[in-house]
Amino acid sequence: MQRNGNPRVSVVVPTRNEARNLEVVLPAIAAVRPAVHEIIVVDGNSVDGTIETAQRVLPWVRVITQTRKGKGNAMACGFAAATGDVIVMFDADGSADPAEIPAFVRALIDGADFAKGSRFVRGGGSDDITLLRKSGNAGLNGVANALFGTSYTDLCYGYNAFWRDILPVLDLPSIDTPAPADGSMIWGDGFEIETVLNCRVAAAGLKITEVPSMERERIFGQTNLRTFADGTRVLRTLAAERRRASRRKAELVQVEEQSRALTPAGGIPVVPPAPQPVLTQPAPGSTPPVNGTRPDNGQINGQSNGKTPGEVHGPVEPAERRPLPQARVESQPRVEGPARETRDGVSLRLALEEEAS
């Protein structure tokens, strides 16, 4: 996949009653050099004048309103609205440093599909995290790494960046789906969004690079985090995403078996029709997500046209015996897979050999 070496950067900032913080945060993002392409504020029905403040402080800011409730839905709305090559997730409370944005972008240019901020690698840190939250994060890291074969150091940090062309792989709930009538949230719409993203990029075998990041204290207001409730939700998310990854692998096995069954001996492999999308199993009390749409980047049904370290070549073992793809958390350039001969090339070669004989 050919990606721009000088990408346009879209910064997505979810907000809910963050007017005072935006007076500091938005000018700081706008001052980053190289300059970002756009800043998208996604508001969740604020009552403190957040939208008016954003437009006053930075007249060229893009402001949209999320379609449901929850940080995950706000992020999904911002991702859908983004027009840049790279998307940066940025909290509005002032805890993230805009000056780190170029480091995230550099990690992507150097070969990563997903640049993950970490407070616990050399050069990172936090002025805000408590000992209890730090211990809980370490435990959750261990669970995630065991389930997905990763080496994350900071599972729950929300400062991340990624190429916009991997959005189909993330397969977030459609922003057009109506909110549940009972007031509950669709799976992926809440604070579990960071964990969902980390699990899905790992399960897809994409290349992940951790970027050192320094977390500051919130400037104004109180955090919405709840240590025990959110920790439990992250655990449930890990379990749900592990089951989802297993189902997706089983689907790939089925497609491979159908392809072998349709291919004559010594013939050109026949690709069976793509199966209908399978809805993700929802968490208790929530409604299932809806598969995303096909973007302009040529990716279909969450599969990239480009080669990634997680791409499968040849037969796929049954799901119960095949381990999860190993998502590499590093910064080494990706290694492209061997070039595959096209169908036309195979036909031409066979014809030439037949004529020669």
Side-chain angles (χ1 to χ4, degrees):
M1 178 187 303
Q2 187 67 34
R3 286 169 170 166
N4 190 352
N6 185 27
R8 299 173 302 165
V9 178
S10 299
V11 181
V12 176
V13 185
T15 60
R16 181 174 172 80
N17 298 325
E18 298 284 5
R20 296 180 68 191
N21 288 322
L22 289 186
E23 292 182 339
V24 179
V25 170
L26 291 183
I29 299 176
V32 170
R33 293 294 180 271
V36 301
H37 167 63
E38 62 185 354
I39 302 173
I40 304 173
V41 169
V42 188
D43 190 60
N45 299 311
S46 296
V47 296
D48 68 341
T50 290
I51 292 178
E52 294 77 10
T53 299
Q55 294 171 333
R56 172 177 55 81
V57 171
L58 199 65
W60 53 269
V61 72
R62 293 181 60 193
V63 179
I64 62 176
T65 302
Q66 65 182 100
T67 56
R68 294 186 296 272
K69 65 180 180 179
K71 183 178 182 180
N73 173 250
M75 285 295 186
C77 290
F79 298 165
T83 61
D85 306 299
V86 164
I87 297 176
V88 177
M89 302 164 55
F90 199 92
D91 287 341
D93 59 8
S95 61
D97 184 358
E100 294 175 355
I101 290 177
F104 283 86
V105 176
R106 173 51 56 187
L108 297 174
I109 294 174
D110 287 345
D113 299 299
F114 191 86
K116 173 162 180 35
S118 175
R119 298 163 290 183
F120 305 118
V121 294
R122 190 170 196 175
S126 176
D127 295 333
D128 185 56
I129 196 168
T130 63
L131 179 60
L132 176 62
R133 285 173 52 206
K134 185 175 182 179
S135 301
N137 188 58
L140 294 171
N141 282 336
V143 174
N145 291 337
L147 291 178
F148 291 93
T150 51
S151 54
Y152 288 138
T153 63
D154 198 354
L155 178 70
C156 302
Y157 194 40
Y159 198 174
N160 306 298
F162 56 89
W163 292 100
R164 185 165 62 97
D165 58 36
I166 74 166
L167 278 175
V169 175
L170 304 182
D171 193 24
L172 298 177
S174 171
I175 61 175
D176 297 323
T177 301
D182 61 2
S184 61
M185 284 196 296
I186 293 176
W187 186 250
D189 274 2
F191 274 109
E192 71 275 6
I193 180 63
E194 284 97 357
T195 306
V196 167
L197 297 181
N198 292 330
C199 291
R200 293 187 181 180
V201 296
L206 300 183
K207 183 176 177 182
I208 305 158
T209 296
E210 288 195 328
V211 178
S213 180
M214 185 67 193
E215 181 186 37
R216 305 299 182 185
E217 293 184 355
R218 164 183 278 271
I219 302 175
F220 299 107
Q222 298 295 320
T223 180
N224 293 317
L225 292 176
R226 300 165 299 169
T227 302
F228 291 103
D230 291 336
T232 301
R233 191 172 184 86
V234 169
L235 277 176
R236 291 176 55 229
T237 302
L238 291 172
E241 290 299 313
R242 179 62 177 84
R243 291 192 296 270
R244 177 184 183 275
S246 297
R247 284 194 299 271
R248 293 299 175 95
K249 287 191 298 182
E251 293 168 17
L252 289 176
V253 170
Q254 184 180 12
V255 170
E256 288 283 346
E257 291 176 347
Q258 292 176 351
S259 177
R260 287 195 294 269
L262 293 172
T263 302
I268 299 173
V270 177
V271 180
Q276 292 297 318
V278 178
L279 295 180
T280 303
Q281 181 68 29
S286 64
T287 58
V290 177
N291 289 335
T293 58
R294 182 184 189 278
D296 295 334
N297 52 41
Q299 296 190 348
I300 303 174
N301 294 333
Q303 297 299 322
S304 170
N305 289 337
K307 303 296 186 293
T308 67
E311 182 175 0
V312 177
H313 298 279
V316 181
E317 296 179 6
E320 61 272 12
R321 292 189 290 109
R322 179 173 175 262
L324 281 168
Q326 298 293 313
R328 299 181 297 163
V329 183
E330 56 180 353
S331 59
Q332 296 298 318
R334 72 174 65 213
V335 178
E336 299 290 346
R340 297 181 178 179
E341 194 170 14
T342 64
R343 180 185 296 269
D344 290 341
V346 173
S347 300
L348 179 59
R349 177 171 54 80
L350 293 178
L352 292 175
E353 290 176 354
E354 182 178 354
E355 181 178 354
S357 62

